[in-house]
Amino acid sequence: MDNLNALFAEIRNEFPALTQKVHGKKLVYLDSAATTLKPKVVVERVSNFYLYESSNVHRGAHFLSDAATAQFEGARHSIARFIGAEHFEEIIFVRGTTEGVNLVANSWGLSNLKAGDEILITEMEHHGNIVPWQMVAEKVGAKVVAAGILDNGELDVEDFKKKLSSKTKMVAFTACSNVLGTNNDVPLLTKLAHQVGAKVLVDGAQIVSQSKVDVKAWDVDFFVFSSHKLFGPFGFGVVYGKKAILETMPPYQGGGSMISKVSLEGTTYNDVPFRFEAGTPHVEGAVGTHAAINFIEKIGFDKVHAYEMDLLQYATEKLSAIPDVKIYGTAANKGPILSFNLKGAHHSDVGQILDQEGVAVRAGHHCTQPLMARLGVPGTVRASFSVYNSREDVDSLVKAVVKARELLL
Ligand code: PMP
């Protein structure tokens, strides 16, 4: 552990954001589940792209455009390898997880779902993996059904099995809950879904920065994630889809780049993945994501996992020892996310006191209102940990929660 602590203390220096003070206190950033801070290597890569390489892609005809296209498509290959995809054509660039789910729900959903069909989700989904399905279900007369959770925050797999049937055409669930931290058993749930002939979409927003993703071994049909939660730029994300399925899907948006031939009488569409990428893309998003992948792979997911689990365990022990603290989500297999409330205090008031102490957490419903209804609370306080945090950060959190308790209870 000493070696790991030394390594991650070095890594912390990659994040200049952490050298600043807020409200006169040292910034303790515990909101990585909302977005990770960006390391210097990523920011410098994006900055260099803008300063020296900025040019539109796929337009050919000059040196800079060819170089930008090579960087852009190089990122696609790197991302494919990073998540274990077999073909680079299986990687579609979008704005983020939310747009990714919308793309699949509209393109695959509208052409495959019909009245009476069911879409199975879970009670722990983010709104980004609920609302797009509800919108499509309403259009075609299908139904969204949700599998419940157990009191410890794990998915109720028996309920999930019960709700799977020949009516189920899509199963959409998160690999990791952004509130409870629960890591779902992706291969198991995927196998169960495939047994009834359903397709599977996995929301990878929280898993990509924590552990190795392997879409091929998991056998998922779709996988979506956002770069900003993986040390990369805002406004950029990825849809992975099995090539054979993508090839059957109609375009999501129309415009330049997604076409093969346009006449005033009609249009034929480009091959996948370009069919799904209308207009000038987020080139520096792709380039920055490539740098972010290099950053995390250089550390190695085995070390990231060991370090983050140590922080989670330490924080869980310390917070549990404070009277009146209730923790939500104690699954055996968890990501580095810790949700809690102070009994008798409002989550926003706790969040505000923590902020005054320099401790940045998220307080609210975390875009998971159905989960809040299941937990019977309007919101929680959420601390989430990443590679730049330390045990001292956890100590600052604990000290601030003790102070909030003194002030509020
Ligand atoms: N799903 C999960 C599990 C998330 O944590 C988030 C972000 N909080 C999203 C989806 C939506 O991601 P984005 O806002 O980047 O589209």
Side-chain angles (χ1 to χ4, degrees), residues 33-34 96-99 126 128-129 174 176-178 203 205-206 226 228-229 382:
T97 307
T98 302
E99 189 179 41
H126 186 280
N129 199 25
T174 189
C176 173
S177 160
N178 62 313
D203 174 347
Q206 295 295 337
S226 305
H228 73 94
K229 294 184 198 277
R382 179 189 69 190

